[in-house]
C-alpha cells in the first residue's frame, strides 16, 4: 500500500515540478484553498445506524496545474463494538486543465470495516474531457486506466489485483442565485471476473447552502454498489450526512 501511495505522490510532485519550471513569460502563481467539514451521517445497507463524519479537501491551483485531494473519515460505535472505522481518500492532478482535453493522474485509497475491505487502492493516468463550462457550472468526464487492488478482511480468496477501466464524472453547479451549490463525483468501474461481469459504482453528491463567505450547511449523499462482496454483506450502501463546512 505504501509503495503505491508513494508512487502517486511522486507523480503529483513531478506534475508540480513541471508547472514550476514552465518557461512561459509569466511565472505561475499558486493558490491554496480547501474545505473542512464535520457531519452526522445516517446509513442504510450493512449498517442501520448513525456515525460521525469528518472531511478535509485542500487544493492547489496555478495557471497550468490543479492538484486536489479529499480525505473522509467515518466512525460509528455502540457499547464496546466499533461498527464503522472507514477512510476514503483521493488525490488528483490535472495538467493544462483549462483546455478542452487535458491529462490527469489520480488515485484513491479506501479501508472500511463496514464492507470488510482491509484496503483498496486505485491509481492511474487518464484523459479528461471538459463537456461544458460556464461561469456557474463545470462538468468533466475522465477516462482512466487504473491499477486496482482490493484486499478483503473476511474472505481473502475474493481479493483481486488487475488493471481496470474507470469512468469518472465530476461536476459543480451554482443554482438558485448562488444560494445552492451542487457538486458530484461519480465513478463507475466495469470488470470481468470468472466469466462474469462485475460492477463498482460510487456516487457522491453534495449540496451546500452558503450562510456566509466561509461557512455553509452541507448535505452529502454517498451511494456505493458492488457486485462482489464478502458473504453476509449487502451489495448496496447509502449514507446521508448533514453538517457544516468551513472554506479557506
Amino acid at each position: 500500500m505504501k509503495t503505491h501511495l508513494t508512487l502517486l505522490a511522486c507523480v503529483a510532485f513531478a506534475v508540480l515540478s513541471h508547472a514550476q519550471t514552465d518557461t512561459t513569460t509569466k511565472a505561475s502563481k499558486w493558490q491554496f484553498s480547501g474545505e473542512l467539514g464535520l457531519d452526522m451521517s445516517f446509513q442504510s445497507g450493512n449498517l442501520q445506524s448513525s456515525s460521525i463524519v469528518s472531511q478535509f479537501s485542500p487544493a492547489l491551483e496555478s495557471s497550468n496545474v490543479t492538484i486536489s485531494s479529499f480525505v473522509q473519515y467515518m466512525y460509528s460505535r455502540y457499547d464496546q463494538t466499533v461498527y464503522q472505522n472507514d477512510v476514503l481518500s483521493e488525490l488528483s492532478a490535472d495538467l493544462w486543465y483549462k483546455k478542452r482535453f487535458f491529462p490527469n493522474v489520480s488515485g484513491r485509497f479506501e479501508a472500511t470495516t463496514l464492507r470488510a475491505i482491509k484496503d483498496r487502492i486505485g491509481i492511474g493516468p487518464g484523459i479528461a474531457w471538459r463537456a461544458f463550462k460556464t461561469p456557474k457550472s463545470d462538468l468533466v468526464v475522465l477516462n482512466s486506466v487504473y491499477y486496482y487492488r482490493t484486499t478483503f478482511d473476511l474472505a481473502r480468496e475474493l481479493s483481486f489485483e488487475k488493471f481496470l477501466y474507470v469512468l469518472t464524472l465530476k461536476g459543480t453547479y451554482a443554482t438558485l442565485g448562488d444560494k445552492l451549490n451542487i457538486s458530484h463525483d461519480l465513478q463507475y468501474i466495469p470488470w470481468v471476473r470468472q466469466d462474469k461481469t462485475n460492477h463498482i459504482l460510487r456516487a457522491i453528491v453534495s449540496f451546500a447552502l452558503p450562510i456566509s463567505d466561509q461557512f455553509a450547511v452541507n448535505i452529502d449523499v454517498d451511494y456505493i454498489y458492488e457486485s462482489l462482496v464478502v458473504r453476509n454483506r449487502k451489495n448496496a450502501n447509502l449514507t446521508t450526512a448533514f453538517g457544516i463546512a468551513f472554506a479557506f
Side-chain angles (χ1 to χ4, degrees):
M1 178 184 73
K2 293 181 179 179
T3 301
H4 301 295
L5 293 180
T6 301
L7 177 60
L8 178 60
C10 290
V11 172
F13 178 77
V15 172
L16 177 62
S17 300
H18 180 278
Q20 288 180 324
T21 57
D22 185 43
T23 56
T24 55
T25 56
K26 188 175 181 180
S28 298
K29 293 183 179 180
W30 288 90
Q31 293 183 341
F32 177 73
S33 62
E35 189 174 274
L36 180 65
L38 183 64
D39 303 332
M40 176 62 70
S41 71
F42 303 90
Q43 287 114 345
S44 61
N46 288 305
L47 181 66
Q48 308 290 332
S49 181
S50 61
S51 61
I52 298 173
V53 184
S54 59
Q55 298 179 356
F56 181 53
S57 54
L60 273 172
E61 183 177 316
S62 75
S63 59
N64 290 328
V65 180
T66 176
I67 300 174
S68 59
S69 59
F70 172 79
V71 180
Q72 180 188 75
Y73 177 69
M74 304 184 69
Y75 185 82
S76 177
R77 173 177 173 176
Y78 179 74
D79 200 4
Q80 299 298 318
T81 303
V82 176
Y83 292 101
Q84 194 168 18
N85 187 21
D86 297 357
V87 175
L88 172 65
S89 62
E90 179 183 9
L91 179 62
S92 179
D94 297 320
L95 185 61
W96 303 302
Y97 65 96
K98 294 180 181 180
K99 296 183 179 296
R100 191 76 169 180
F101 294 90
F102 53 90
N104 166 277
V105 178
S106 60
R108 291 193 180 191
F109 170 79
E110 185 176 10
T112 164
T113 55
L114 184 63
R115 305 199 311 280
I117 296 176
K118 182 180 179 181
D119 58 67
R120 167 172 286 169
I121 299 170
I123 176 173
I127 295 295
W129 168 53
R130 176 161 276 108
F132 64 81
K133 183 174 178 60
T134 70
K136 294 189 177 182
S137 62
D138 189 17
L139 176 63
V140 173
V141 181
L142 175 62
N143 293 275
S144 306
V145 177
Y146 269 22
Y147 162 80
Y148 212 82
R149 189 189 78 190
T150 295
T151 304
F152 289 99
D153 249 334
L154 304 179
R156 295 296 183 94
E157 69 278 2
L158 295 179
S159 301
F160 62 90
E161 181 177 8
K162 57 174 59 184
F163 286 91
L164 298 172
Y165 166 75
V166 180
L167 173 64
T168 306
L169 279 75
K170 290 190 176 185
T172 57
Y173 317 94
T175 64
L176 302 179
D178 296 332
K179 294 181 180 179
L180 174 63
N181 298 322
I182 304 173
S183 63
H184 63 75
D185 183 347
L186 314 177
Q187 190 174 78
Y188 175 64
I189 306 173
W191 57 291
V192 178
R193 178 187 176 96
Q194 296 177 351
D195 299 326
K196 179 182 178 181
T197 301
N198 292 272
H199 308 273
I200 299 175
L201 170 65
R202 185 151 203 164
I204 301 175
V205 183
S206 298
F207 304 88
L209 292 84
I211 55 179
S212 72
D213 290 339
Q214 292 182 303
F215 288 93
V217 175
N218 278 3
I219 303 174
D220 301 315
V221 180
D222 185 351
Y223 173 82
I224 183 167
Y225 175 88
E226 301 182 65
S227 55
L228 179 66
V229 294
V230 173
R231 186 178 179 183
N232 298 326
R233 291 293 200 274
K234 294 183 178 180
N235 298 95
N237 288 272
L238 176 65
T239 299
T240 304
F242 304 86
I244 192 165
F246 170 74
F248 55 88

